[in-house]
Amino acid sequence: MAYLGAAAIEHGSLFKEVLSKLRMERDLSVARDIQMSMMPESCPTIEGYQIAASSTPAREVSGDFFDFIDIDDSNIGFVIADVTGKSVSGALVMTAAKSVFRLLSEEKLSVGDIMKRANKQIKKDITRAKGMFVALLYAELNVADKRLGMCSAGQTQPILLSAKTGEATLIETEGDAFPLGIIDDADYQETKLQLDSGDLAIFYTDGVVEAMNKKGKMYGFDRFLEVIKGNSGLDADIFLEKLINDINSFVGKAEQHDDLTIVVIKVD
């Protein structure tokens, strides 16, 4: 009887483990479905510009996302972000953040004001989700003037590849850099960038420069900047492919520990 009782307890424990695993797999499936539904199916087609984007998750569910927003005939907005929460919680925060920026972009506010209002709304949305925040960059491109206005909330510094000089430089963004959802009154400010024909602007999440190989060496900003400089003059989609291939070559067979997201905008 003791043996049968012990066996019953063991089988009961195994059954609970199986149920827990099934629930987890279901949660991951739901989260992935939410994420896939919110990612753009393709990049916008804009006369005089080339846009390419890619997002590669490290696990079943990504913490990264990007989005493009049609503001009007002269302006297009875009978002690139990294949410701390994973699984269903992270996917839901992504959905909320995407909706907030789409709604605010319709109100014809400045880029800085959009970020400030988005921060307050997202903070309200995730009040009960302790430890969650969103590292995000929002930008608007004035198509006619070739002018880019951007605001960063804890995202990695964008990179400008100048067609005139051939140099790749990190763009210093202005104002506070707190990720969204941490404090109410962060002073986010717009950084303005004038683009010229042939220029490329590269936006990316920290998983790119923090990618590691089996020796524990980090990919880093220096290598990323050199690869960007070495592939000037290419179309945006080929340029993006070269960047991804170099990252993959560096990492080799090491396990990917963070999501990789890159958005490239080129002026023809």
Side-chain angles (χ1 to χ4, degrees):
M1 290 296 291
Y3 172 79
L4 291 175
I9 292 171
E10 183 179 354
H11 285 301
S13 177
L14 289 173
F15 181 67
K16 287 180 180 179
E17 288 181 15
V18 171
L19 282 179
S20 177
K21 185 177 180 181
L22 288 172
R23 290 193 190 100
M24 186 179 296
E25 289 175 351
R26 183 190 62 193
D27 286 349
L28 290 173
S29 177
V30 170
R32 175 174 284 276
D33 289 345
I34 293 172
Q35 287 184 323
M36 292 302 100
S37 68
M38 69 179 289
M39 290 287 192
E41 293 183 2
S42 61
C43 294
T45 300
I46 304 172
E47 186 175 354
Y49 294 85
Q50 299 173 33
I51 301 177
S54 172
S55 186
T56 306
R59 300 178 181 85
E60 292 88 347
V61 180
S62 173
D64 287 3
F65 81 101
F66 66 93
D67 192 25
F68 300 105
I69 305 169
D70 289 323
I71 299 173
D72 54 40
D73 292 339
S74 300
N75 295 276
I76 181 171
F78 66 92
V79 173
I80 182 169
D82 183 357
V83 180
T84 54
K86 306 298 182 183
S87 193
V88 175
S89 60
L92 291 174
V93 171
M94 285 184 192
T95 304
K98 175 179 177 178
S99 299
V100 166
F101 278 91
R102 284 185 168 269
L103 288 170
L104 289 175
S105 67
E106 296 176 358
E107 298 188 19
K108 306 299 181 182
L109 301 168
S110 70
V111 170
D113 285 341
I114 286 176
M115 188 70 94
K116 290 173 186 176
R117 289 181 60 176
N119 174 56
K120 289 182 178 180
Q121 184 59 55
I122 290 171
K123 190 172 187 300
K124 289 179 183 177
D125 292 341
I126 62 176
T127 298
R128 296 183 180 180
K130 295 182 179 179
M132 289 192 70
F133 54 82
V134 184
L136 181 146
L137 183 141
Y138 174 70
E140 290 184 6
L141 172 66
N142 185 294
V143 177
D145 295 339
K146 298 178 183 177
R147 189 177 64 249
L148 191 63
M150 69 189 79
C151 198
S152 179
Q155 259 300 349
T156 46
Q157 290 176 264
I159 296 170
L160 174 66
L161 176 59
S162 171
K164 287 183 178 179
T165 66
E167 291 299 315
T169 55
L170 294 167
I171 301 169
E172 294 285 346
T173 52
E174 301 175 12
D176 286 341
F178 298 106
L180 302 180
I182 294 180
I183 63 174
D184 283 315
D185 298 317
D187 183 23
Y188 299 115
Q189 298 178 22
E190 180 177 0
T191 301
K192 296 181 179 180
L193 182 67
Q194 184 62 51
L195 300 174
D196 293 316
S197 295
D199 286 353
L200 284 100
I202 301 99
F203 304 87
Y204 54 99
T205 53
D206 58 5
V208 171
V209 291
E210 293 177 2
M212 289 187 182
N213 60 20
K214 281 195 170 183
K215 295 180 180 179
K217 184 178 179 181
M218 199 175 291
Y219 186 72
F221 284 102
D222 290 342
R223 176 162 179 156
F224 195 40
L225 289 169
E226 285 301 316
V227 174
I228 287 171
K229 285 171 58 178
N231 286 286
S232 61
L234 299 176
D235 287 347
D237 55 348
I238 303 300
F239 178 85
L240 177 60
E241 184 180 343
K242 294 284 187 181
L243 297 185
I244 294 171
N245 286 344
D246 190 72
I247 296 167
N248 290 337
S249 175
F250 174 84
V251 172
K253 295 182 179 180
E255 182 181 358
Q256 183 182 336
H257 74 280
D258 200 0
D259 312 312
L260 308 174
T261 302
I262 306 175
V263 176
V264 175
I265 297 176
K266 181 177 182 181
V267 185
D268 285 336

